[in-house]
Amino acid sequence: MRKCFAILCMLLFGVTAFAQTTKVRGVVTDAESGEPVPFAGIFFKDTSIGVTADIDGRYNLETRDISSVGTLVCQLLGYDTVEAEVKPGAFNEVNFRLKLTENQLPGAFVKADNRRIKRLLANIDAHRDRNDPDRHPSYRCKVYNKMELDITRPREVLTNKRFVRDFGFVFDYMDTSVVSGVSYLPAMISESLVERRHTSDPLADDETVLANRVSGINPDANLLSQFTGTMHMKVNFYRPFINSFNVEFPSPIQTGGLLFYNYFIIDSLQMDGRKTYLVRYHPKNGISTPALDGEMHIDAEDFALRSIKAKMVHGGNVNWVRDMVYETEYQRMPDSTWFYRQDKFYADFSISLGDSSKVMSMIGTRQMNYSDIDFSAQEAIAAADGKVKVHPEATYRDEAYWAGVRPYELTDKERAIYKMVDQIQDVPIYKSVYDVIYTLINGYWDRGPVGFGPYMQLFSVNNLEGTRVRLGVHTSKNLSTDFRWTGFLAYGFGDRQLKGGLSYERIFSHEPQRKLTVDAFYDVYQLGRGLSNMTAGNILSSVWGQASKLSPMSNVSVYYTHEFSMNFNLDASVALKRHFGNIFVPMVGWDGTVVPSVAANELFLQARFSREETVNRGFFTKTYVHSDYPIWYLSLRGSVPGLREGDIGYIKPQLEMEWKFRIPPVGMSQVHLNTGTIVGQVPWMFLQMYPGNATNMLDKSAFSCMEFFEFASDSWATLMWYHSFNGFFLGKIPLLRHLQLREELSAKVAYGTLRDKNNGTAPEYGALMRFPEQMHPLDGVPYVELGAGVSNIMRLFRVDFIWRVTHREVQGPDGGMIPARRLFTVNLGMEFRF
């Protein structure tokens, strides 16, 4: 697996190295006691390139300037200055042992006094509006962005003789991390040049990717361009919290910074002829939330950030990241405001968060350089939706173009490694490993123009079909990226019925997406279930609990989706549906007559509204990733009666809202609202059946203590709320802190009413069909369930305990009240979160 992981990273992408970068790291200690010496100044002699040691005496430096970095100086008041020679253009580890000066200063009484740092932070806050680059009325700039992915410790881990034989040449490109000091093998590089535009009133951002290239990716099939820009990676320390991978770090210059950090004013310097304060900050004791440690330079006149370096503190309940470092530089503009100059980011991703030479990890780095800054640009940003546009020629720029736009010249070795990708892809083992990983991610095993799968649905078990086997096939992107055929056949050995389906997808435009889907199938489905794949008909759900009320359904539909902008999408469809009854899902009239089927001739229209949303665009699918704002769905569904035997007519307007919002430092909440009504008389399977969960797998879109078909309404409103405290409380308990567990809360509420003409509990109401056994209306009494749990168990698993608060008694077959079947349940889930 280690070899597969490494080969995947090398083969999906190209590689690069920084042979001309000078890197130095080390620790400063007292020569007599051996104790670390914090806040010592380390700099290259006769330059302004330097840093101060952190609270543990550790430091690291990195620079492309190799002309004047031969001597490294370490000095601190009260100690003798020490110099050390370093090798330019290479990695150096230099540890300083400082000796007290012979002419020691007399002792002094030191009293803690933070009034000065309070004044400094207050002045930073008072000047925030002027100094924050994103609060400029408007600006336009160009940003060169370079991202890399590296594999650590390849020589120690990849000792297989075949690997060394096939890929040994890649070790010529190894380097050493200045942050962790471990060796790494570059595995991916991407370069992009974007033009960013910003307005403050209204608040809007967008950008155009002018040029982009990713090592090892064919320009004709490069879907990564949207993520090699800068909008979704920019770091702004003037905001209260810095977000990375959905982890919130308190900014050292936020208004409440003293709640999280201790500050030390180390020195006052002259930088560019202006007085500048050098300030170190360190998390307070007892902080259980993620925090940063580092230093910053503050302009003494404008109280603006000149630069800041921030490193993630270990033990802050962050998964999969061993180290994370931010470095941002600002520049003073001619109008005396401040703007970004350079932004660097470093992250070390690992399965093991400890130091182990036997565990491979991935290092991700990013550097952005700003140029051509124009504050006079007043053009309006179209749709104000934060859209990332990609220039048609972005992936086809030649080397001459790149040489003209880079802020610094690449070395011969860096340029040569782009060509190394072709050599890697010619190795036979590459294709085998790539196929395995691609199948695991994609679900289909693609062989040339066709693919087979999904592998998770090849086998399942349910009470209607018994043992079920299913085989699907689709045309792959190797045949076409503009259309796709998908088909499947399934057979249940219990009901002895063959099912199948065929669909055709036609892509008229990838961005913005314009897509037509024609679909026809006959299969069994669980009505009234949630959206989680863990509770659908697959191998996992067969182990953890089976769908118990499946019913056959046929469907022929035409579905069209039209993306008007990143924040407005419209879907429309026409569908001919027919539901069939069985012993588990009876369809019976009041006279005892079995109704064989019910049909609907549906028309559907849905508008989706969002703002500043991250979208992942595949060849045939578009996945919505995240937005900091609520996402609204307004839909209208209806059926036209009188066209087919057994069809019905109704109108169903519906409004939904989903919102994930952060509440730092106490975690993140997730809310989903749904309300609607049904106009017309319909049989029970077309009512709003609140989603239940018959398994022990967590499904956030379903009610955990509710059975399938337990409640139905024709006017309804539901609320589902989840909140993760991210270890805010458990992280303060010494015996539990190292486990990095996270607290989870949930609340789910359903409210609904049912008109008499749709109430199938008794014949006097006049409903079209009697309700299945145990189906009831809510009768205007809200259904409530509450949950509490623990997540981040072994960094992957969670356990939720859910209690049914209301409707604890339901009407039994004889008309009397009996306890509900599930008053309490335990749900198991698996989540990948940082």
Side-chain angles (χ1 to χ4, degrees):
M1 288 300 296
R2 290 197 301 265
K3 182 171 72 173
C4 292
F5 182 56
I7 295 174
L8 169 69
C9 297
M10 287 187 295
L11 305 178
L12 289 178
F13 310 103
V15 295
T16 188
F18 283 102
Q20 297 303 110
T21 300
T22 303
K23 303 178 180 181
V24 188
R25 74 185 298 266
V27 62
V28 183
T29 57
D30 186 285
E32 295 184 6
S33 67
E35 294 292 323
V37 177
F39 312 146
I42 301 99
F43 57 93
F44 290 110
K45 190 173 182 178
D46 299 326
T47 74
S48 60
I49 305 171
V51 71
T52 60
D54 64 16
I55 198 74
D56 299 315
R58 300 186 182 276
Y59 75 94
N60 63 75
L61 270 172
E62 183 174 359
T63 179
R64 277 185 169 268
D65 183 3
I66 63 172
S67 59
S68 55
V69 294
T71 303
L72 192 66
V73 180
C74 179
Q75 65 180 24
L76 183 65
L77 185 64
Y79 289 91
D80 291 336
T81 299
V82 180
E83 297 184 358
E85 297 299 314
V86 298
K87 183 179 180 181
F91 172 79
N92 302 262
E93 185 153 357
V94 180
N95 298 320
F96 290 101
R97 301 178 71 247
L98 301 185
K99 296 181 179 180
L100 290 170
T101 58
E102 294 183 2
N103 299 322
Q104 297 184 22
L105 297 174
F109 178 76
V110 179
K111 180 181 179 181
D113 185 356
N114 63 356
R115 287 178 295 179
R116 190 180 179 193
I117 194 64
K118 281 184 176 180
R119 288 195 300 269
L120 181 59
L121 292 175
N123 279 316
I124 293 174
D125 195 45
H127 292 77
R128 186 181 306 273
D129 288 348
R130 177 174 176 80
N131 295 327
D132 183 353
D134 288 340
R135 299 197 185 188
H136 276 281
S138 65
Y139 66 76
R140 180 201 299 157
C141 67
K142 289 183 179 179
V143 188
Y144 170 80
N145 183 31
K146 185 175 183 179
M147 297 189 297
E148 302 166 44
L149 187 67
D150 310 312
I151 305 171
T152 67
R153 301 185 176 95
R155 288 191 183 277
E156 293 88 338
V157 178
L158 303 175
T159 57
N160 182 277
K161 291 183 179 180
R162 183 178 177 184
F163 180 90
V164 175
R165 182 193 66 196
D166 293 339
F167 296 99
F169 62 90
V170 302
F171 292 133
D172 296 336
Y173 300 92
M174 287 182 58
D175 208 333
T176 305
S177 168
V178 70
V179 177
S180 61
V182 301
S183 60
Y184 67 81
L185 179 65
M188 184 274 281
I189 178 175
S190 77
E191 294 180 279
S192 66
L193 179 70
V194 306
E195 182 179 75
R196 181 191 296 171
R197 293 166 294 276
H198 167 87
T199 63
S200 296
D201 187 18
L203 180 62
D205 293 271
D206 76 352
E207 67 182 32
T208 300
V209 179
L210 303 176
N212 173 67
R213 66 176 182 176
V214 181
S215 56
I217 302 297
N218 188 324
D220 295 317
N222 187 1
L223 296 178
L224 300 178
S225 297
Q226 57 187 320
F227 296 112
T228 58
T230 66
M231 279 183 49
H232 303 298
M233 298 179 292
K234 184 181 62 175
V235 174
N236 187 351
F237 280 91
Y238 283 98
R239 294 183 178 179
F241 288 86
I242 307 301
N243 179 269
S244 289
F245 311 110
N246 275 335
V247 179
E248 298 281 346
F249 297 93
S251 170
I253 62 169
Q254 67 156 271
T255 304
L258 285 168
L259 297 174
F260 302 96
Y261 299 105
N262 291 317
Y263 296 85
F264 308 90
I265 300 178
I266 303 300
D267 203 352
S268 60
L269 313 168
Q270 288 291 321
M271 300 183 68
D272 298 329
R274 299 176 62 85
K275 183 179 179 180
T276 303
Y277 296 116
L278 174 58
V279 180
R280 283 211 61 91
Y281 55 91
H282 188 73
K284 288 181 176 289
N285 292 330
I287 295 294
S288 59
T289 55
L292 302 169
D293 179 273
E295 67 177 30
M296 53 188 174
H297 290 89
I298 308 295
D299 187 88
E301 296 180 34
D302 295 339
F303 297 100
L305 271 179
R306 295 190 67 103
S307 66
I308 184 168
K309 183 174 183 179
K311 182 177 181 180
M312 180 188 74
V313 177
H314 293 173
N317 205 330
V318 178
N319 291 331
W320 317 112
V321 181
R322 186 156 46 191
D323 285 305
M324 190 183 300
V325 181
Y326 305 90
E327 291 185 61
T328 303
E329 295 181 15
Y330 299 82
Q331 55 187 317
R332 197 168 191 265
M333 306 302 295
D335 64 352
S336 75
T337 61
W338 292 78
F339 198 76
Y340 306 104
R341 181 196 300 274
Q342 187 181 82
D343 190 352
K344 294 182 180 180
F345 176 74
Y346 169 100
D348 185 350
F349 304 95
S350 176
I351 297 176
S352 171
L353 299 185
D355 293 329
S356 173
S357 60
K358 298 299 182 181
V359 177
M360 181 180 295
S361 65
M362 306 299 298
I363 294 177
T365 60
R366 181 216 66 210
Q367 178 174 332
M368 296 191 295
N369 292 76
Y370 294 78
S371 62
D372 298 346
I373 303 159
D374 182 7
F375 293 139
S376 64
Q378 298 293 330
E379 74 268 25
I381 296 178
D385 59 4
K387 184 176 181 179
V388 179
K389 308 177 186 69
V390 180
H391 192 281
E393 298 298 320
T395 58
Y396 299 95
R397 306 295 190 182
D398 58 20
E399 187 58 38
Y401 179 92
W402 284 107
V405 300
R406 291 191 187 103
Y408 46 81
E409 184 180 356
L410 296 183
T411 65
D412 291 339
K413 191 173 184 180
E414 287 176 315
R415 289 191 293 267
I417 299 179
Y418 269 108
K419 303 176 183 178
M420 180 179 161
V421 178
D422 294 335
Q423 186 177 354
I424 293 176
Q425 294 178 344
D426 288 337
V427 178
I429 194 176
Y430 159 77
K431 298 179 180 179
S432 300
V433 174
Y434 179 88
D435 286 345
V436 171
I437 303 298
Y438 184 84
T439 300
L440 291 175
I441 296 173
N442 189 50
Y444 279 82
W445 182 45
D446 286 349
R447 307 305 298 166
V450 297
F452 304 91
Y455 61 86
M456 287 297 293
Q457 297 180 16
L458 292 175
F459 171 85
S460 61
V461 178
N462 61 70
N463 60 355
L464 176 63
E465 298 176 291
T467 300
R468 169 189 167 105
V469 293
R470 183 186 189 277
L471 178 63
V473 61
H474 74 183
T475 58
S476 72
K477 65 181 185 299
N478 298 321
L479 178 66
S480 174
T481 59
D482 294 327
F483 70 86
R484 178 171 65 178
W485 287 92
T486 303
F488 76 93
L489 289 175
Y491 183 78
F493 290 92
D495 64 353
R496 298 182 179 180
Q497 286 193 16
L498 183 68
K499 298 91 179 174
L502 182 67
S503 69
Y504 173 75
E505 298 167 84
R506 179 68 170 90
I507 307 294
F508 300 105
S509 170
H510 289 276
E511 185 179 358
Q513 188 182 70
R514 312 283 164 79
K515 177 182 174 182
L516 179 69
T517 303
V518 181
D519 192 16
F521 65 81
Y522 173 76
D523 204 353
V524 295
Y525 285 89
Q526 175 64 64
L527 297 175
R529 77 169 187 89
L531 303 177
S532 173
N533 289 328
M534 300 292 284
T535 61
N538 54 48
I539 298 173
L540 286 178
S541 64
S542 300
V543 175
W544 288 97
Q546 304 169 14
S548 57
K549 296 181 178 180
L550 292 166
S551 61
M553 184 176 74
S554 65
N555 179 76
V556 178
S557 65
V558 178
Y559 196 100
Y560 178 72
T561 181
H562 191 101
E563 180 183 331
F564 290 91
S565 69
M566 286 284 287
N567 60 5
F568 177 56
N569 293 262
L570 194 65
D571 296 337
S573 70
V574 177
L576 302 178
K577 295 181 179 179
R578 185 172 292 276
H579 294 270
F580 300 89
N582 57 62
I583 59 173
F584 299 107
V585 185
M587 303 166 89
V588 182
W590 289 110
D591 58 358
T593 303
V594 175
V595 180
S597 66
V598 178
N601 311 306
E602 287 189 349
L603 301 174
F604 173 73
L605 187 66
Q606 176 178 271
R608 185 182 189 277
F609 305 91
S610 64
R611 179 181 176 187
E612 296 183 13
E613 188 172 21
T614 304
V615 178
N616 179 21
R617 297 181 185 274
F619 289 103
F620 299 101
T621 60
K622 181 176 69 172
T623 305
Y624 300 103
V625 181
H626 178 76
S627 173
D628 290 328
Y629 302 92
I631 300 170
W632 295 91
Y633 300 83
L634 179 62
S635 65
L636 180 65
R637 187 186 299 271
S639 176
V640 181
L643 302 181
R644 294 187 294 160
E645 181 181 356
D647 58 12
I648 60 169
Y650 68 89
I651 298 175
K652 182 181 179 181
Q654 190 168 340
L655 178 67
E656 292 185 72
M657 187 274 285
E658 57 184 31
W659 188 16
K660 292 182 180 179
F661 55 94
R662 305 177 181 94
I663 315 176
V666 292
M668 171 181 281
S669 277
Q670 179 179 348
V671 175
H672 184 271
L673 294 171
N674 181 5
T675 184
T677 188
I678 297 174
V679 180
Q681 187 177 29
V682 297
W684 62 263
M685 71 284 306
F686 288 94
L687 294 173
Q688 174 67 13
M689 285 181 286
Y690 301 96
N693 187 356
T695 75
N696 289 110
M697 301 300 293
L698 177 66
D699 185 349
K700 289 187 176 183
S701 63
F703 292 92
S704 300
C705 293
M706 188 183 292
E707 297 292 320
F708 291 132
F709 301 177
E710 186 170 355
F711 296 105
S713 301
D714 55 18
S715 293
W716 68 93
T718 62
L719 167 66
M720 296 188 178
W721 171 73
Y722 285 87
H723 185 83
S724 175
F725 286 95
N726 290 336
F728 182 81
F729 299 105
L730 295 177
K732 293 178 169 60
I733 302 175
L735 295 179
L736 297 178
R737 179 182 176 89
H738 73 283
L739 296 177
Q740 297 197 348
L741 300 175
R742 299 174 181 177
E743 316 86 347
E744 306 288 339
L745 288 180
S746 65
K748 301 177 184 178
V749 181
Y751 176 83
T753 59
L754 186 64
R755 301 178 185 93
D756 288 347
K757 63 181 179 181
N758 290 321
N759 190 340
T761 58
E764 58 266 23
Y765 294 125
L768 295 176
M769 197 179 297
R770 71 172 58 174
F771 278 180
E773 187 178 348
Q774 298 181 351
M775 178 180 281
H776 309 283
L778 280 175
D779 292 329
V781 179
Y783 172 91
V784 179
E785 62 181 44
L786 301 176
V790 177
S791 66
N792 211 41
I793 302 170
M794 301 174 63
R795 288 184 282 169
L796 278 177
F797 304 101
R798 64 179 289 168
V799 180
D800 287 77
F801 305 91
I802 300 100
W803 291 265
R804 182 164 169 159
V805 179
T806 62
H807 290 275
R808 295 178 63 84
E809 290 186 339
V810 296
Q811 188 175 6
D814 59 356
M817 301 303 291
I818 60 174
R821 183 178 176 183
R822 307 183 80 181
L823 298 178
F824 170 79
T825 189
V826 178
N827 282 175
L828 306 178
M830 185 171 64
E831 295 179 325
F832 183 90
R833 291 190 296 178
F834 283 97

